[in-house]
Amino acid sequence: QVQLVEAGGDLVTRGGSLKLSCGTSEITFSIYTMGWYRQAPGKSREFVATIAHDGSTNYADSVKGRFTISRDNIKKLVYLQMNDLKPEDTAVYYCNAWDIGASAGYWGRGTRVTVSS
């Protein structure tokens, strides 16, 4: 029943930039590990990046050096800054929250990113 809402997806040209955001009203947001995943047409959902409550981050090899995940625990938002976008980044991007206390994960409904050649 944790609700996550993504925003910021758009159509951009190769080499462009976008910043995605994901928000929640969940009171325990600050102790969740937050993440971004993506699903391209005809493909399964794949890991992009995560950020833990202490600010530590992990990235998929395909986005290292180009994407940056961050969080604002006061505003209860997580962001994904995407630079030097490539056509292979085209996908629906989903926000994820992991509640270790409940051993449960939650998903947003996604925001679409399209990168043209």
Side-chain angles (χ1 to χ4, degrees), residues 3-113:
Q3 296 182 5
L4 302 170
V5 180
E6 303 98 332
D10 207 347
L11 170 65
V12 299
T13 304
R14 176 193 288 272
S17 297
L18 286 173
K19 187 173 184 178
L20 308 183
S21 65
C22 171
T24 182
S25 62
E26 174 57 48
I27 192 69
T28 58
F29 172 86
S30 63
I31 63 172
Y32 290 173
T33 291
M34 302 297 299
W36 288 96
Y37 296 73
R38 66 188 183 186
Q39 187 167 12
K43 301 292 182 66
S44 60
R45 191 170 299 183
E46 67 177 5
F47 163 77
V48 175
T50 58
I51 182 166
H53 67 90
D54 64 356
S56 61
T57 58
N58 285 287
Y59 296 92
D61 288 342
S62 60
V63 306
K64 285 181 178 178
R66 299 188 298 121
F67 291 11
T68 302
I69 188 171
S70 61
R71 67 191 295 161
D72 184 329
N73 287 342
I74 296 175
K75 296 181 178 179
K76 298 180 181 178
L77 293 170
V78 62
Y79 305 97
L80 186 68
Q81 177 67 50
M82 305 184 294
N83 298 324
D84 192 24
L85 284 162
K86 304 174 181 179
E88 52 262 45
D89 295 318
T90 294
V92 175
Y93 284 70
Y94 295 92
C95 180
N96 172 266
W98 177 254
D99 181 353
I100 190 169
S103 296
Y106 306 92
W107 295 97
R109 295 179 180 180
T111 185
R112 184 176 297 276
V113 172

